[in-house]
Amino acid sequence: MNGVTLRDALDVRDLCVAYGKVPAVRDVSLQVAPGSIVTVIGPNGAGKTTLLAAIAGLLPARGVVRCFGDLATAWPVEERVRRGIVLVPERRELFGSMSVADNLRLGAFTRRGEQHKAAIADVYRRFPRLEERRGQLAATLSGGERQMLALGRALMSAPRVLLLDEPSLGLAPLVVRDIFSIIAALRSTGVAILLVEQNARAALAIADYGYVLESGQIAVEGESASLAANPRVAAAYLGQAHTARTPAAPPG
Amino acid sequence: MDLSIAAFLVQDGVTNGAIYALLALALVLVFTVTRIIWIPSGEFVTYGTLTLAGLQLGKPPGTVGLLIGVAVVAAIVETIATLRAREARKLPLRLAVWLGVPLAIAAAVWWAAPRGLPLALQIVLALAAVTALGPLIYRIAYQPIADASVLVLLIVSVAVHFALTGLGLWFFGAEGSRTPAFTGASFTAGGLTFSAQSLLVVVASLVLIGLLYLLFGRTLYGKALHATAVNRIGARLVGISPSFAGALTFVLAALLCAFCGVLVGPITTVYYDSGFLVSLKGFVGAIIGGLVSYPLAAAGALLVGLLESFSSFWASAFKEVIVFTLIIPVLLWRSLTSRHHDEE
Ligand SMILES: Nc1ncnc2c1ncn2[C@@H]1O[C@H](COP(=O)(O)OP(=O)(O)O)[C@@H](O)[C@H]1O
Ligand SMILES: [Mg+2]
C-alpha cells in the first residue's frame, strides 16, 4: 500500500495537532491511494475528528500533508477544496435554512461554468432520495437524508480526496448499510477515501487498509482483513469477547 | 391633530423609515455574514451625501483623495499578505482589484466633477466611489482579524468609526451640505398631498430591497453569502472563503449606505459627522430584528421612522430620546424570547 507503484492521492507525514498545549494527534502518518478506501478506527476521543479537520485545513497542524505530490500544508481550507481535498464533517455542517438543491449547488461553488449540472445529475443518481426532496429545507431532513446530503454536497466539489468523518453516526443499521454501499461504489470513480469510523466492523468491511488510532497515535495498521483478524483489534473494536482479552492501550 | 397633519407625519415617517430600513438591512447583512457590528455604516451614509454634493457643486469631492489613500493602504496590506503566503505570481491580479479598480473610480469622479453631468450619472459615480470604500475598509481593518470574537470586532468597529469620522472632517471639511431635491413635484390623492420626492425615496428603497432579495435567492454569489451567514464552517468546506464573503458583503453594505446618503441629502443638511445618528436609527431597526432577521429589521426601521416623525410633532425636543428609548423594551423583549441555537 505504501506508494511503491501509485502516487498517493493523500500523503500525511508526522502530523501533530494540539488544542492549546494539549496534544490531540501525535506523529500520525498515513497514505491513501486513488480509488482506494482507507479507514481510521478508534475509540471516542482518540483524535479521529481532529485528524480529519487538520487534513482539511480547519485546524492548524505541524507535519506535512501532500495531495498528489503537491505540498498542501500551507493551503487554507478553500484552496484544499479547490484542489480536491473535501471533508464531510461529523456534524455535517449543512445549510439548514436552504433547500437541498441549493446545498448541492453550493457544493460546486469552486467549479467553473456548467459543470455543476452534470455533477448534480450524478448525485441524484446515487441518492434518488435527495432528488425527491430537492425543494425541502436541509434542516427538515431525517438523519440519513442529512448524511446523504452532506455526502452529495461533497461530491459536487469533484473531490480527489474525500474525508468522511463517521458517516454512520446516529443512523439506523439499515441506513448505515445503504450509506456504506454508496461509499463503496465511489471507489470506481477513482477518488481516494479516508473513512473515519467508530463502527469498525462496517468500516473494515469496505476498506482496503486500516489504521487504529488510540490516544492520538497510530497503534496498529494493516490490510483490512489482517486488522479484522488481529485479536487485539477484534477484542477492542469488533466486540468479539471470546478472542484474547488484551486491553487496547497504546504501545509504549 | 387632524387627518392632513397625520397624513403628513405618516408620509414623513415612512420616507425616513425607508431610508433607515436600507441601513438596517445593511447592518443585518454585515452582522450575519461577518459577525461585525458595523458602527461605521453612518460614515458611508455621510460620504454618499457629501460626494454627491461635491459633484453638484462642480468640484472634485473629498472622496477622490480618500479613495486613493485607502486604496494605497489596502494595496500595501494585500501585498504584504500575498508575499508572506509566497504567492507572488497572484500579486498583479490582486493589485488590479485592490488598487486598479479604486483608482479608476477615483479618476472617473475627479474627471466628472467639473463637467456638470446629469444628476443620474452623478449619483452613479457617487455610489461607485463610496461603494469601493466598503471592501477596502474591510480588507484593512477587518479581514486580518476576521476570526476574532464579536467583542473584538465591535471594538475595531468603534475605532474605524472614529477614524472615518476624522477622515471625513479632513477630506470634506466642517461645512454641511445639502443636495437639491430630485423633484419638486407633488400630487394629491384623496384630498391629501404627497410629495413626489417622498414617493421616489420609498420606491427606490423598495426596488433596492427587491434587487437584494433576488440576489440572495437567485444568484450563486448571493447564495454563497447566505450560506456563510447560515453556517460558517459549512461555507468554508464548500470553498467559499471568508475573505471573499466579507469583501462582497462590504460591497453590498457600502452600496446600501451610500444609497441612503443620496436619499438623505435632500431631506437634511449633512455634516461630516451626521451619519452616526442616522446609523443609530438603522441599528434600532436592526436590533428589533435581532440583527439576523431582514423583514423584522425593515419593519423595525419603519417603526423608528414613524415614531421619530410623530414624536417630533408632539415633543420635538425629545424626539431622539423617544426613538432611542424604544430600544430598551425591545432589548428586554428579545432577551426574554430569544434562545441560542446552533444552526446546522
Ligand atoms: N475544540 C476542542 N478543544 C479542546 N479539546 C478538544 C476539542 N475538540 C476535541 N478535543 C479533545 O481532543 C481529543 C480528540 O477529540 P476528537 O478528535 O473529537 O476525537 P474523536 O473524533 O476520535 O472522537 C479529545 O480528548 C477531545 O476532548
Ligand atoms: Mg469524532
Side-chain angles (χ1 to χ4, degrees):
Chain A
M1 175 89 206
N2 281 356
V4 222
T5 48
L6 266 175
R7 195 162 60 143
D8 288 313
L10 179 69
D11 182 7
V12 175
R13 303 273 167 184
D14 303 322
L15 200 75
C16 299
V17 194
Y19 293 103
K21 284 199 158 45
V22 187
V25 167
R26 283 176 290 170
D27 294 316
V28 167
S29 298
L30 55 83
Q31 291 78 36
V32 189
S36 73
I37 300 180
V38 171
T39 184
V40 174
I41 56 178
N44 208 353
K48 305 182 297 297
T49 297
T50 307
L51 173 67
L52 284 199
I55 296 174
L58 283 172
L59 289 174
R62 282 193 295 117
V64 172
V65 176
R66 286 181 187 277
C67 176
F68 287 93
D70 294 330
L71 191 62
T73 318
W75 298 344
V77 182
E78 306 79 42
E79 181 70 15
R80 293 185 202 211
V81 173
R82 201 166 298 126
R83 310 280 194 120
I85 306 179
V86 183
L87 170 68
V88 178
E90 193 172 353
R91 291 164 42 92
R92 324 302 194 223
E93 310 289 3
L94 299 173
F95 307 122
S97 57
M98 302 178 84
S99 69
V100 166
D102 278 350
N103 270 269
L104 291 174
R105 176 65 190 90
L106 284 164
F109 182 75
T110 55
R111 301 180 72 183
R112 288 176 199 288
E114 303 292 292
Q115 288 176 322
H116 64 93
K117 292 195 173 147
I120 211 161
D122 178 60
V123 168
Y124 284 154
R125 194 174 52 71
R126 289 176 197 276
F127 303 99
R129 196 58 167 275
L130 291 183
E131 182 161 28
E132 288 164 26
R133 311 256 146 148
R134 61 175 179 259
Q136 202 171 316
L137 297 187
T140 65
L141 297 178
S142 73
E145 290 161 352
R146 295 157 67 81
Q147 183 55 50
M148 290 178 195
L149 181 55
L151 254 172
R153 190 180 71 178
L155 292 178
M156 293 294 294
S157 318
R160 295 192 295 165
V161 175
L162 192 54
L163 311 169
L164 305 179
D165 196 349
E166 306 227 21
S168 76
L169 192 73
L171 303 186
L174 269 180
V175 184
V176 172
R177 222 185 50 193
D178 283 354
I179 298 265
F180 271 68
S181 67
I182 290 167
I183 294 172
L186 290 174
R187 201 196 304 261
S188 65
T189 65
V191 63
I193 299 179
L194 184 59
L195 170 67
V196 154
E197 264 299 340
Q198 271 195 67
N199 187 342
R201 188 185 300 280
L204 287 174
I206 63 164
D208 303 294
Y209 197 84
Y211 297 84
V212 177
L213 193 70
E214 287 172 356
S215 311
Q217 287 177 306
I218 289 178
V220 194
E221 65 177 278
E223 306 284 337
S224 305
S226 74
L227 268 189
N230 181 324
R232 205 166 82 83
V233 174
Y237 302 109
L238 302 176
Q240 288 164 356
H242 56 277
T243 49
R245 279 184 167 276
T246 335
Chain B
M1 178 181 345
D2 63 18
L3 185 63
S4 69
I5 293 182
F8 173 79
L9 290 178
V10 167
Q11 183 184 337
D12 200 38
V14 169
T15 310
N16 287 332
I19 295 173
Y20 301 150
L22 291 181
L23 258 166
L25 295 182
L27 295 168
V28 170
L29 172 66
V30 169
F31 181 73
T32 52
V33 178
T34 66
R35 300 175 305 126
I36 295 168
I37 296 178
W38 196 38
I39 310 280
S41 53
E43 279 59 64
F44 284 79
V45 177
T46 308
Y47 293 171
T49 314
L50 296 182
T51 307
L52 184 60
L55 286 171
Q56 298 254 300
L57 289 176
K59 57 175 196 191
T63 329
V64 173
L66 183 59
L67 193 52
I68 293 173
V70 172
V72 168
V73 175
I76 292 172
V77 172
E78 182 70 21
T79 305
I80 293 173
T82 304
L83 294 182
R84 275 220 184 119
R86 301 176 192 286
E87 295 178 319
R89 65 196 166 77
K90 293 186 183 163
L91 194 57
L93 179 66
R94 291 183 180 173
L95 283 183
V97 171
W98 290 107
L99 192 60
V101 173
L103 289 188
I105 293 174
V109 173
W110 182 79
W111 173 87
R115 286 184 166 65
L117 299 180
L119 179 63
L121 270 180
Q122 291 184 336
I123 290 178
V124 169
L125 280 170
L127 291 179
V130 179
T131 301
L133 281 171
L136 292 171
I137 297 292
Y138 175 78
R139 181 67 192 88
I140 296 169
Y142 296 108
Q143 188 181 314
I145 53 155
D147 289 330
S149 68
V150 172
L151 182 62
V152 170
L153 292 170
L154 172 64
I155 293 168
V156 169
S157 274
V158 173
V160 171
H161 157 65
F162 284 117
L164 291 184
T165 311
L167 288 171
L169 176 59
W170 175 269
F171 280 100
F172 294 100
E175 319 86 68
S177 297
R178 206 175 172 127
T179 53
F182 306 123
T183 157
S186 62
F187 57 94
T188 48
L192 301 170
T193 309
F194 297 93
S195 84
Q197 169 79 18
S198 294
L199 195 69
L200 205 65
V201 169
V202 173
V203 169
S205 304
L206 286 178
V207 167
L208 208 56
I209 291 171
L211 286 177
L212 213 58
Y213 183 77
L214 284 182
L215 180 84
F216 278 85
R218 298 286 161 81
T219 70
L220 181 61
Y221 283 170
K223 286 176 184 173
L225 288 189
H226 185 182
T228 308
V230 169
N231 189 324
R232 197 167 297 281
I233 296 177
R236 295 199 73 184
L237 289 176
V238 297
I240 303 167
S241 107
S243 322
F244 168 79
L248 182 56
T249 297
F250 269 73
V251 167
L252 294 174
L255 174 64
L256 281 168
C257 290
F259 204 83
C260 289
V262 168
L263 296 181
V264 153
I267 296 176
T268 164
T269 306
V270 171
Y271 299 86
Y272 71 96
D273 61 352
S274 302
F276 186 55
L277 212 55
V278 181
S279 76
L280 278 185
K281 288 170 190 158
F283 260 111
V284 177
I287 286 170
I288 290 177
L291 277 177
V292 292
S293 161
Y294 292 95
L296 278 183
L302 208 58
L303 179 69
V304 170
L306 287 169
L307 195 66
E308 180 186 39
S309 144
F310 278 87
S311 56
S312 65
F313 177 75
W314 277 313
S316 70
F318 296 107
K319 100 177 175 180
E320 313 290 9
V321 178
I322 292 172
V323 168
F324 291 124
T325 308
L326 173 67
I327 209 166
I328 295 171
V330 165
L331 284 179
L332 271 178
W333 168 66
R334 286 216 69 92
S335 68
L336 291 178
T337 57
S338 77
R339 17 194 131 314
H340 293 278
H341 50 86
D342 258 350
E343 178 138 33
E344 203 186 330

